[in-house]
Amino acid sequence: QVQLVESGGGLVQPGSSLRLSCTASGRASSTLNMAWFRQPPGKEREFVGAFRRSGYGGMTYYANSVTGRFTVSRDNDKNSWYLQMNSLKPEDTAVYYCAATSGSPISSLFRSASTFEYWGQGTQVTVSS
């Protein structure tokens, strides 16, 4: 059974940076496709970014709202994934979740939460002055 644990959330000011981490146990992260989702207060969960598993050229996907500001990465030696968030805005306030799947979804399905069978518990990110 794969377990995911996020860390790194917190309260930051607009324009700041923050890096979230997600560590997997139970399976090598290099064999999993992963993604980050977020759920703003009172809204539905939404796609943030994704990273194909090793062997697919490090292909990444991003939501339009975070392109150029957020970067997904992974460290297979640490069985971990990361979400580097720069130039944070108040509208980035949300609970952030990492997710993973052992399947091989087509590109468009990375943006769908239903694609992923493994989820972390979430970490709160609040951007406020």
Side-chain angles (χ1 to χ4, degrees), residues 86-124:
N86 298 327
S87 302
L88 282 162
K89 304 175 182 180
E91 51 263 44
D92 295 318
T93 295
V95 177
Y96 283 72
Y97 299 89
C98 67
T101 178
S102 58
S104 299
I106 60 175
S107 300
S108 59
L109 290 182
F110 274 82
R111 300 174 184 273
S112 173
S114 61
T115 296
F116 301 90
E117 65 266 34
Y118 306 116
W119 289 84
Q121 81 286 356
T123 185
Q124 177 70 46

PDB file of all heavy atoms in Angstrom, residues 86-124:
ATOM      1  N   ASN A  86       6.533  30.009  -6.296  1.00  0.00           N
ATOM      2  CA  ASN A  86       7.106  31.354  -6.251  1.00  0.00           C
ATOM      3  C   ASN A  86       6.028  32.392  -6.554  1.00  0.00           C
ATOM      4  O   ASN A  86       4.978  32.069  -7.108  1.00  0.00           O
ATOM      5  CB  ASN A  86       8.244  31.480  -7.264  1.00  0.00           C
ATOM      6  CG  ASN A  86       9.386  30.531  -6.985  1.00  0.00           C
ATOM      7  OD1 ASN A  86       9.687  30.210  -5.827  1.00  0.00           O
ATOM      8  ND2 ASN A  86      10.045  30.071  -8.044  1.00  0.00           N
ATOM      9  N   SER A  87       6.317  33.622  -6.194  1.00  0.00           N
ATOM     10  CA  SER A  87       5.388  34.736  -6.460  1.00  0.00           C
ATOM     11  C   SER A  87       3.975  34.394  -6.019  1.00  0.00           C
ATOM     12  O   SER A  87       3.008  34.559  -6.774  1.00  0.00           O
ATOM     13  CB  SER A  87       5.409  35.084  -7.956  1.00  0.00           C
ATOM     14  OG  SER A  87       6.709  35.424  -8.373  1.00  0.00           O
ATOM     15  N   LEU A  88       3.858  33.917  -4.806  1.00  0.00           N
ATOM     16  CA  LEU A  88       2.555  33.472  -4.306  1.00  0.00           C
ATOM     17  C   LEU A  88       1.568  34.620  -4.217  1.00  0.00           C
ATOM     18  O   LEU A  88       1.933  35.765  -3.908  1.00  0.00           O
ATOM     19  CB  LEU A  88       2.725  32.805  -2.951  1.00  0.00           C
ATOM     20  CG  LEU A  88       3.264  31.373  -3.029  1.00  0.00           C
ATOM     21  CD1 LEU A  88       3.825  30.929  -1.686  1.00  0.00           C
ATOM     22  CD2 LEU A  88       2.168  30.422  -3.491  1.00  0.00           C
ATOM     23  N   LYS A  89       0.303  34.292  -4.503  1.00  0.00           N
ATOM     24  CA  LYS A  89      -0.782  35.255  -4.486  1.00  0.00           C
ATOM     25  C   LYS A  89      -1.825  34.809  -3.466  1.00  0.00           C
ATOM     26  O   LYS A  89      -1.931  33.615  -3.157  1.00  0.00           O
ATOM     27  CB  LYS A  89      -1.428  35.330  -5.868  1.00  0.00           C
ATOM     28  CG  LYS A  89      -0.469  35.649  -6.999  1.00  0.00           C
ATOM     29  CD  LYS A  89      -1.179  35.579  -8.340  1.00  0.00           C
ATOM     30  CE  LYS A  89      -0.233  35.857  -9.493  1.00  0.00           C
ATOM     31  NZ  LYS A  89      -0.932  35.778 -10.814  1.00  0.00           N
ATOM     32  N   PRO A  90      -2.645  35.728  -2.987  1.00  0.00           N
ATOM     33  CA  PRO A  90      -3.706  35.328  -2.045  1.00  0.00           C
ATOM     34  C   PRO A  90      -4.611  34.237  -2.622  1.00  0.00           C
ATOM     35  O   PRO A  90      -5.075  33.369  -1.874  1.00  0.00           O
ATOM     36  CB  PRO A  90      -4.467  36.637  -1.826  1.00  0.00           C
ATOM     37  CG  PRO A  90      -3.440  37.700  -2.003  1.00  0.00           C
ATOM     38  CD  PRO A  90      -2.559  37.189  -3.117  1.00  0.00           C
ATOM     39  N   GLU A  91      -4.832  34.246  -3.920  1.00  0.00           N
ATOM     40  CA  GLU A  91      -5.696  33.227  -4.535  1.00  0.00           C
ATOM     41  C   GLU A  91      -5.052  31.845  -4.589  1.00  0.00           C
ATOM     42  O   GLU A  91      -5.695  30.872  -4.977  1.00  0.00           O
ATOM     43  CB  GLU A  91      -6.126  33.649  -5.946  1.00  0.00           C
ATOM     44  CG  GLU A  91      -5.001  34.078  -6.854  1.00  0.00           C
ATOM     45  CD  GLU A  91      -4.828  35.592  -6.880  1.00  0.00           C
ATOM     46  OE1 GLU A  91      -4.875  36.226  -5.802  1.00  0.00           O
ATOM     47  OE2 GLU A  91      -4.608  36.130  -7.982  1.00  0.00           O
ATOM     48  N   ASP A  92      -3.780  31.749  -4.190  1.00  0.00           N
ATOM     49  CA  ASP A  92      -3.139  30.437  -4.074  1.00  0.00           C
ATOM     50  C   ASP A  92      -3.448  29.773  -2.730  1.00  0.00           C
ATOM     51  O   ASP A  92      -3.051  28.620  -2.503  1.00  0.00           O
ATOM     52  CB  ASP A  92      -1.618  30.571  -4.221  1.00  0.00           C
ATOM     53  CG  ASP A  92      -1.191  31.035  -5.610  1.00  0.00           C
ATOM     54  OD1 ASP A  92      -1.778  30.544  -6.595  1.00  0.00           O
ATOM     55  OD2 ASP A  92      -0.278  31.878  -5.699  1.00  0.00           O
ATOM     56  N   THR A  93      -4.126  30.493  -1.861  1.00  0.00           N
ATOM     57  CA  THR A  93      -4.497  29.926  -0.560  1.00  0.00           C
ATOM     58  C   THR A  93      -5.385  28.705  -0.749  1.00  0.00           C
ATOM     59  O   THR A  93      -6.409  28.766  -1.432  1.00  0.00           O
ATOM     60  CB  THR A  93      -5.233  30.984   0.283  1.00  0.00           C
ATOM     61  OG1 THR A  93      -4.333  32.047   0.588  1.00  0.00           O
ATOM     62  CG2 THR A  93      -5.761  30.375   1.576  1.00  0.00           C
ATOM     63  N   ALA A  94      -4.974  27.594  -0.165  1.00  0.00           N
ATOM     64  CA  ALA A  94      -5.699  26.329  -0.341  1.00  0.00           C
ATOM     65  C   ALA A  94      -5.036  25.246   0.497  1.00  0.00           C
ATOM     66  O   ALA A  94      -3.932  25.433   1.013  1.00  0.00           O
ATOM     67  CB  ALA A  94      -5.686  25.911  -1.816  1.00  0.00           C
ATOM     68  N   VAL A  95      -5.727  24.128   0.594  1.00  0.00           N
ATOM     69  CA  VAL A  95      -5.095  22.905   1.088  1.00  0.00           C
ATOM     70  C   VAL A  95      -4.493  22.212  -0.135  1.00  0.00           C
ATOM     71  O   VAL A  95      -5.198  21.979  -1.126  1.00  0.00           O
ATOM     72  CB  VAL A  95      -6.092  21.985   1.795  1.00  0.00           C
ATOM     73  CG1 VAL A  95      -5.395  20.694   2.235  1.00  0.00           C
ATOM     74  CG2 VAL A  95      -6.713  22.691   2.994  1.00  0.00           C
ATOM     75  N   TYR A  96      -3.231  21.909  -0.066  1.00  0.00           N
ATOM     76  CA  TYR A  96      -2.521  21.287  -1.173  1.00  0.00           C
ATOM     77  C   TYR A  96      -2.339  19.799  -0.904  1.00  0.00           C
ATOM     78  O   TYR A  96      -1.930  19.399   0.189  1.00  0.00           O
ATOM     79  CB  TYR A  96      -1.165  21.960  -1.374  1.00  0.00           C
ATOM     80  CG  TYR A  96      -1.272  23.295  -2.065  1.00  0.00           C
ATOM     81  CD1 TYR A  96      -1.793  24.399  -1.390  1.00  0.00           C
ATOM     82  CD2 TYR A  96      -0.880  23.467  -3.389  1.00  0.00           C
ATOM     83  CE1 TYR A  96      -1.924  25.629  -2.017  1.00  0.00           C
ATOM     84  CE2 TYR A  96      -0.995  24.690  -4.026  1.00  0.00           C
ATOM     85  CZ  TYR A  96      -1.518  25.767  -3.331  1.00  0.00           C
ATOM     86  OH  TYR A  96      -1.641  26.977  -3.968  1.00  0.00           O
ATOM     87  N   TYR A  97      -2.633  19.004  -1.934  1.00  0.00           N
ATOM     88  CA  TYR A  97      -2.538  17.552  -1.837  1.00  0.00           C
ATOM     89  C   TYR A  97      -1.583  17.007  -2.894  1.00  0.00           C
ATOM     90  O   TYR A  97      -1.617  17.455  -4.042  1.00  0.00           O
ATOM     91  CB  TYR A  97      -3.899  16.910  -2.082  1.00  0.00           C
ATOM     92  CG  TYR A  97      -4.978  17.297  -1.107  1.00  0.00           C
ATOM     93  CD1 TYR A  97      -5.786  18.407  -1.332  1.00  0.00           C
ATOM     94  CD2 TYR A  97      -5.204  16.533   0.047  1.00  0.00           C
ATOM     95  CE1 TYR A  97      -6.786  18.758  -0.433  1.00  0.00           C
ATOM     96  CE2 TYR A  97      -6.201  16.879   0.943  1.00  0.00           C
ATOM     97  CZ  TYR A  97      -6.986  17.985   0.691  1.00  0.00           C
ATOM     98  OH  TYR A  97      -7.984  18.324   1.581  1.00  0.00           O
ATOM     99  N   CYS A  98      -0.777  16.042  -2.513  1.00  0.00           N
ATOM    100  CA  CYS A  98      -0.056  15.291  -3.527  1.00  0.00           C
ATOM    101  C   CYS A  98      -0.831  14.002  -3.797  1.00  0.00           C
ATOM    102  O   CYS A  98      -1.537  13.495  -2.925  1.00  0.00           O
ATOM    103  CB  CYS A  98       1.382  15.000  -3.121  1.00  0.00           C
ATOM    104  SG  CYS A  98       1.607  13.890  -1.733  1.00  0.00           S
ATOM    105  N   ALA A  99      -0.707  13.535  -5.012  1.00  0.00           N
ATOM    106  CA  ALA A  99      -1.430  12.349  -5.445  1.00  0.00           C
ATOM    107  C   ALA A  99      -0.539  11.526  -6.362  1.00  0.00           C
ATOM    108  O   ALA A  99       0.378  12.066  -6.989  1.00  0.00           O
ATOM    109  CB  ALA A  99      -2.710  12.749  -6.176  1.00  0.00           C
ATOM    110  N   ALA A 100      -0.820  10.244  -6.422  1.00  0.00           N
ATOM    111  CA  ALA A 100      -0.014   9.368  -7.267  1.00  0.00           C
ATOM    112  C   ALA A 100      -0.864   8.250  -7.837  1.00  0.00           C
ATOM    113  O   ALA A 100      -1.894   7.878  -7.269  1.00  0.00           O
ATOM    114  CB  ALA A 100       1.156   8.779  -6.468  1.00  0.00           C
ATOM    115  N   THR A 101      -0.404   7.735  -8.975  1.00  0.00           N
ATOM    116  CA  THR A 101      -1.045   6.579  -9.577  1.00  0.00           C
ATOM    117  C   THR A 101       0.012   5.637 -10.132  1.00  0.00           C
ATOM    118  O   THR A 101       1.045   6.096 -10.635  1.00  0.00           O
ATOM    119  CB  THR A 101      -2.017   6.981 -10.696  1.00  0.00           C
ATOM    120  OG1 THR A 101      -2.581   5.794 -11.272  1.00  0.00           O
ATOM    121  CG2 THR A 101      -1.320   7.768 -11.797  1.00  0.00           C
ATOM    122  N   SER A 102      -0.257   4.360 -10.039  1.00  0.00           N
ATOM    123  CA  SER A 102       0.628   3.355 -10.624  1.00  0.00           C
ATOM    124  C   SER A 102       0.253   3.100 -12.078  1.00  0.00           C
ATOM    125  O   SER A 102       0.952   2.381 -12.787  1.00  0.00           O
ATOM    126  CB  SER A 102       0.551   2.054  -9.826  1.00  0.00           C
ATOM    127  OG  SER A 102      -0.778   1.572  -9.793  1.00  0.00           O
ATOM    128  N   GLY A 103      -0.855   3.683 -12.519  1.00  0.00           N
ATOM    129  CA  GLY A 103      -1.293   3.517 -13.890  1.00  0.00           C
ATOM    130  C   GLY A 103      -0.514   4.393 -14.849  1.00  0.00           C
ATOM    131  O   GLY A 103       0.428   5.100 -14.468  1.00  0.00           O
ATOM    132  N   SER A 104      -0.918   4.354 -16.116  1.00  0.00           N
ATOM    133  CA  SER A 104      -0.250   5.116 -17.176  1.00  0.00           C
ATOM    134  C   SER A 104      -1.277   5.965 -17.908  1.00  0.00           C
ATOM    135  O   SER A 104      -1.661   5.653 -19.039  1.00  0.00           O
ATOM    136  CB  SER A 104       0.453   4.152 -18.143  1.00  0.00           C
ATOM    137  OG  SER A 104       1.424   3.392 -17.488  1.00  0.00           O
ATOM    138  N   PRO A 105      -1.744   7.025 -17.271  1.00  0.00           N
ATOM    139  CA  PRO A 105      -2.780   7.843 -17.901  1.00  0.00           C
ATOM    140  C   PRO A 105      -2.261   8.630 -19.097  1.00  0.00           C
ATOM    141  O   PRO A 105      -1.079   8.949 -19.186  1.00  0.00           O
ATOM    142  CB  PRO A 105      -3.200   8.788 -16.762  1.00  0.00           C
ATOM    143  CG  PRO A 105      -1.996   8.886 -15.883  1.00  0.00           C
ATOM    144  CD  PRO A 105      -1.334   7.536 -15.962  1.00  0.00           C
ATOM    145  N   ILE A 106      -3.178   8.926 -20.024  1.00  0.00           N
ATOM    146  CA  ILE A 106      -2.817   9.832 -21.110  1.00  0.00           C
ATOM    147  C   ILE A 106      -2.682  11.243 -20.537  1.00  0.00           C
ATOM    148  O   ILE A 106      -3.142  11.519 -19.427  1.00  0.00           O
ATOM    149  CB  ILE A 106      -3.867   9.795 -22.242  1.00  0.00           C
ATOM    150  CG1 ILE A 106      -5.254  10.209 -21.721  1.00  0.00           C
ATOM    151  CG2 ILE A 106      -3.912   8.410 -22.871  1.00  0.00           C
ATOM    152  CD1 ILE A 106      -6.310  10.319 -22.807  1.00  0.00           C
ATOM    153  N   SER A 107      -2.082  12.109 -21.289  1.00  0.00           N
ATOM    154  CA  SER A 107      -1.713  13.434 -20.787  1.00  0.00           C
ATOM    155  C   SER A 107      -2.890  14.179 -20.166  1.00  0.00           C
ATOM    156  O   SER A 107      -2.785  14.752 -19.078  1.00  0.00           O
ATOM    157  CB  SER A 107      -1.111  14.270 -21.911  1.00  0.00           C
ATOM    158  OG  SER A 107       0.046  13.657 -22.426  1.00  0.00           O
ATOM    159  N   SER A 108      -4.026  14.182 -20.841  1.00  0.00           N
ATOM    160  CA  SER A 108      -5.167  14.970 -20.380  1.00  0.00           C
ATOM    161  C   SER A 108      -5.695  14.476 -19.036  1.00  0.00           C
ATOM    162  O   SER A 108      -6.259  15.260 -18.264  1.00  0.00           O
ATOM    163  CB  SER A 108      -6.282  14.945 -21.421  1.00  0.00           C
ATOM    164  OG  SER A 108      -6.706  13.621 -21.660  1.00  0.00           O
ATOM    165  N   LEU A 109      -5.511  13.214 -18.739  1.00  0.00           N
ATOM    166  CA  LEU A 109      -6.060  12.653 -17.508  1.00  0.00           C
ATOM    167  C   LEU A 109      -5.244  13.018 -16.279  1.00  0.00           C
ATOM    168  O   LEU A 109      -5.704  12.824 -15.149  1.00  0.00           O
ATOM    169  CB  LEU A 109      -6.184  11.138 -17.627  1.00  0.00           C
ATOM    170  CG  LEU A 109      -7.265  10.653 -18.591  1.00  0.00           C
ATOM    171  CD1 LEU A 109      -7.327   9.134 -18.601  1.00  0.00           C
ATOM    172  CD2 LEU A 109      -8.624  11.232 -18.248  1.00  0.00           C
ATOM    173  N   PHE A 110      -4.049  13.554 -16.482  1.00  0.00           N
ATOM    174  CA  PHE A 110      -3.276  14.006 -15.328  1.00  0.00           C
ATOM    175  C   PHE A 110      -3.996  15.144 -14.599  1.00  0.00           C
ATOM    176  O   PHE A 110      -3.737  15.388 -13.429  1.00  0.00           O
ATOM    177  CB  PHE A 110      -1.885  14.470 -15.752  1.00  0.00           C
ATOM    178  CG  PHE A 110      -0.885  13.354 -15.831  1.00  0.00           C
ATOM    179  CD1 PHE A 110      -0.813  12.553 -16.950  1.00  0.00           C
ATOM    180  CD2 PHE A 110      -0.018  13.103 -14.782  1.00  0.00           C
ATOM    181  CE1 PHE A 110       0.115  11.519 -17.026  1.00  0.00           C
ATOM    182  CE2 PHE A 110       0.907  12.069 -14.844  1.00  0.00           C
ATOM    183  CZ  PHE A 110       0.976  11.276 -15.970  1.00  0.00           C
ATOM    184  N   ARG A 111      -4.891  15.846 -15.292  1.00  0.00           N
ATOM    185  CA  ARG A 111      -5.578  16.987 -14.690  1.00  0.00           C
ATOM    186  C   ARG A 111      -6.835  16.570 -13.920  1.00  0.00           C
ATOM    187  O   ARG A 111      -7.509  17.426 -13.346  1.00  0.00           O
ATOM    188  CB  ARG A 111      -5.941  17.994 -15.781  1.00  0.00           C
ATOM    189  CG  ARG A 111      -4.711  18.506 -16.514  1.00  0.00           C
ATOM    190  CD  ARG A 111      -5.070  19.390 -17.707  1.00  0.00           C
ATOM    191  NE  ARG A 111      -3.867  19.776 -18.436  1.00  0.00           N
ATOM    192  CZ  ARG A 111      -3.122  20.832 -18.141  1.00  0.00           C
ATOM    193  NH1 ARG A 111      -3.472  21.634 -17.152  1.00  0.00           N
ATOM    194  NH2 ARG A 111      -2.030  21.103 -18.840  1.00  0.00           N
ATOM    195  N   SER A 112      -7.131  15.304 -13.909  1.00  0.00           N
ATOM    196  CA  SER A 112      -8.340  14.811 -13.260  1.00  0.00           C
ATOM    197  C   SER A 112      -7.994  14.105 -11.959  1.00  0.00           C
ATOM    198  O   SER A 112      -7.191  13.170 -11.935  1.00  0.00           O
ATOM    199  CB  SER A 112      -9.067  13.839 -14.184  1.00  0.00           C
ATOM    200  OG  SER A 112     -10.149  13.230 -13.509  1.00  0.00           O
ATOM    201  N   ALA A 113      -8.635  14.522 -10.875  1.00  0.00           N
ATOM    202  CA  ALA A 113      -8.356  13.919  -9.577  1.00  0.00           C
ATOM    203  C   ALA A 113      -8.706  12.433  -9.549  1.00  0.00           C
ATOM    204  O   ALA A 113      -8.059  11.649  -8.842  1.00  0.00           O
ATOM    205  CB  ALA A 113      -9.124  14.659  -8.483  1.00  0.00           C
ATOM    206  N   SER A 114      -9.687  12.035 -10.338  1.00  0.00           N
ATOM    207  CA  SER A 114     -10.121  10.634 -10.326  1.00  0.00           C
ATOM    208  C   SER A 114      -9.078   9.689 -10.911  1.00  0.00           C
ATOM    209  O   SER A 114      -9.177   8.474 -10.758  1.00  0.00           O
ATOM    210  CB  SER A 114     -11.443  10.485 -11.086  1.00  0.00           C
ATOM    211  OG  SER A 114     -11.282  10.868 -12.440  1.00  0.00           O
ATOM    212  N   THR A 115      -8.069  10.229 -11.581  1.00  0.00           N
ATOM    213  CA  THR A 115      -6.998   9.404 -12.153  1.00  0.00           C
ATOM    214  C   THR A 115      -6.122   8.783 -11.067  1.00  0.00           C
ATOM    215  O   THR A 115      -5.518   7.735 -11.270  1.00  0.00           O
ATOM    216  CB  THR A 115      -6.138  10.265 -13.091  1.00  0.00           C
ATOM    217  OG1 THR A 115      -6.934  10.703 -14.181  1.00  0.00           O
ATOM    218  CG2 THR A 115      -4.901   9.538 -13.594  1.00  0.00           C
ATOM    219  N   PHE A 116      -6.063   9.426  -9.912  1.00  0.00           N
ATOM    220  CA  PHE A 116      -5.073   9.088  -8.885  1.00  0.00           C
ATOM    221  C   PHE A 116      -5.707   8.312  -7.742  1.00  0.00           C
ATOM    222  O   PHE A 116      -6.688   8.745  -7.161  1.00  0.00           O
ATOM    223  CB  PHE A 116      -4.403  10.358  -8.385  1.00  0.00           C
ATOM    224  CG  PHE A 116      -3.705  11.109  -9.484  1.00  0.00           C
ATOM    225  CD1 PHE A 116      -4.372  12.072 -10.231  1.00  0.00           C
ATOM    226  CD2 PHE A 116      -2.392  10.819  -9.797  1.00  0.00           C
ATOM    227  CE1 PHE A 116      -3.740  12.739 -11.271  1.00  0.00           C
ATOM    228  CE2 PHE A 116      -1.739  11.480 -10.832  1.00  0.00           C
ATOM    229  CZ  PHE A 116      -2.422  12.438 -11.573  1.00  0.00           C
ATOM    230  N   GLU A 117      -5.088   7.164  -7.420  1.00  0.00           N
ATOM    231  CA  GLU A 117      -5.648   6.330  -6.354  1.00  0.00           C
ATOM    232  C   GLU A 117      -4.970   6.538  -5.000  1.00  0.00           C
ATOM    233  O   GLU A 117      -5.483   6.085  -3.984  1.00  0.00           O
ATOM    234  CB  GLU A 117      -5.570   4.841  -6.736  1.00  0.00           C
ATOM    235  CG  GLU A 117      -4.166   4.255  -6.882  1.00  0.00           C
ATOM    236  CD  GLU A 117      -3.649   4.298  -8.323  1.00  0.00           C
ATOM    237  OE1 GLU A 117      -3.977   5.258  -9.052  1.00  0.00           O
ATOM    238  OE2 GLU A 117      -2.878   3.383  -8.695  1.00  0.00           O
ATOM    239  N   TYR A 118      -3.847   7.213  -4.985  1.00  0.00           N
ATOM    240  CA  TYR A 118      -3.140   7.444  -3.724  1.00  0.00           C
ATOM    241  C   TYR A 118      -3.099   8.946  -3.447  1.00  0.00           C
ATOM    242  O   TYR A 118      -2.746   9.738  -4.331  1.00  0.00           O
ATOM    243  CB  TYR A 118      -1.712   6.898  -3.794  1.00  0.00           C
ATOM    244  CG  TYR A 118      -1.616   5.453  -4.201  1.00  0.00           C
ATOM    245  CD1 TYR A 118      -0.990   5.081  -5.384  1.00  0.00           C
ATOM    246  CD2 TYR A 118      -2.165   4.452  -3.395  1.00  0.00           C
ATOM    247  CE1 TYR A 118      -0.911   3.758  -5.759  1.00  0.00           C
ATOM    248  CE2 TYR A 118      -2.081   3.128  -3.767  1.00  0.00           C
ATOM    249  CZ  TYR A 118      -1.456   2.785  -4.955  1.00  0.00           C
ATOM    250  OH  TYR A 118      -1.387   1.469  -5.320  1.00  0.00           O
ATOM    251  N   TRP A 119      -3.412   9.300  -2.198  1.00  0.00           N
ATOM    252  CA  TRP A 119      -3.477  10.709  -1.827  1.00  0.00           C
ATOM    253  C   TRP A 119      -2.822  10.939  -0.482  1.00  0.00           C
ATOM    254  O   TRP A 119      -2.908  10.091   0.417  1.00  0.00           O
ATOM    255  CB  TRP A 119      -4.943  11.173  -1.748  1.00  0.00           C
ATOM    256  CG  TRP A 119      -5.590  11.272  -3.080  1.00  0.00           C
ATOM    257  CD1 TRP A 119      -6.170  10.262  -3.791  1.00  0.00           C
ATOM    258  CD2 TRP A 119      -5.712  12.444  -3.883  1.00  0.00           C
ATOM    259  NE1 TRP A 119      -6.648  10.732  -4.985  1.00  0.00           N
ATOM    260  CE2 TRP A 119      -6.380  12.073  -5.066  1.00  0.00           C
ATOM    261  CE3 TRP A 119      -5.332  13.772  -3.723  1.00  0.00           C
ATOM    262  CZ2 TRP A 119      -6.673  12.991  -6.097  1.00  0.00           C
ATOM    263  CZ3 TRP A 119      -5.616  14.677  -4.726  1.00  0.00           C
ATOM    264  CH2 TRP A 119      -6.278  14.287  -5.895  1.00  0.00           C
ATOM    265  N   GLY A 120      -2.199  12.108  -0.348  1.00  0.00           N
ATOM    266  CA  GLY A 120      -1.708  12.522   0.939  1.00  0.00           C
ATOM    267  C   GLY A 120      -2.819  13.161   1.755  1.00  0.00           C
ATOM    268  O   GLY A 120      -3.949  13.307   1.280  1.00  0.00           O
ATOM    269  N   GLN A 121      -2.493  13.564   2.960  1.00  0.00           N
ATOM    270  CA  GLN A 121      -3.486  14.111   3.875  1.00  0.00           C
ATOM    271  C   GLN A 121      -3.734  15.596   3.650  1.00  0.00           C
ATOM    272  O   GLN A 121      -4.721  16.142   4.157  1.00  0.00           O
ATOM    273  CB  GLN A 121      -3.038  13.885   5.329  1.00  0.00           C
ATOM    274  CG  GLN A 121      -2.029  14.890   5.874  1.00  0.00           C
ATOM    275  CD  GLN A 121      -0.625  14.703   5.337  1.00  0.00           C
ATOM    276  OE1 GLN A 121      -0.336  13.758   4.591  1.00  0.00           O
ATOM    277  NE2 GLN A 121       0.279  15.608   5.721  1.00  0.00           N
ATOM    278  N   GLY A 122      -2.862  16.241   2.903  1.00  0.00           N
ATOM    279  CA  GLY A 122      -3.018  17.659   2.616  1.00  0.00           C
ATOM    280  C   GLY A 122      -2.217  18.534   3.550  1.00  0.00           C
ATOM    281  O   GLY A 122      -1.983  18.179   4.713  1.00  0.00           O
ATOM    282  N   THR A 123      -1.794  19.686   3.043  1.00  0.00           N
ATOM    283  CA  THR A 123      -1.078  20.660   3.855  1.00  0.00           C
ATOM    284  C   THR A 123      -1.602  22.051   3.496  1.00  0.00           C
ATOM    285  O   THR A 123      -1.801  22.366   2.320  1.00  0.00           O
ATOM    286  CB  THR A 123       0.447  20.560   3.645  1.00  0.00           C
ATOM    287  OG1 THR A 123       1.129  21.445   4.542  1.00  0.00           O
ATOM    288  CG2 THR A 123       0.868  20.892   2.215  1.00  0.00           C
ATOM    289  N   GLN A 124      -1.861  22.854   4.524  1.00  0.00           N
ATOM    290  CA  GLN A 124      -2.470  24.172   4.325  1.00  0.00           C
ATOM    291  C   GLN A 124      -1.427  25.190   3.896  1.00  0.00           C
ATOM    292  O   GLN A 124      -0.361  25.305   4.518  1.00  0.00           O
ATOM    293  CB  GLN A 124      -3.137  24.641   5.611  1.00  0.00           C
ATOM    294  CG  GLN A 124      -3.748  26.032   5.539  1.00  0.00           C
ATOM    295  CD  GLN A 124      -4.978  26.095   4.673  1.00  0.00           C
ATOM    296  OE1 GLN A 124      -5.865  25.253   4.768  1.00  0.00           O
ATOM    297  NE2 GLN A 124      -5.046  27.103   3.808  1.00  0.00           N
TER     298      GLN A 124
END
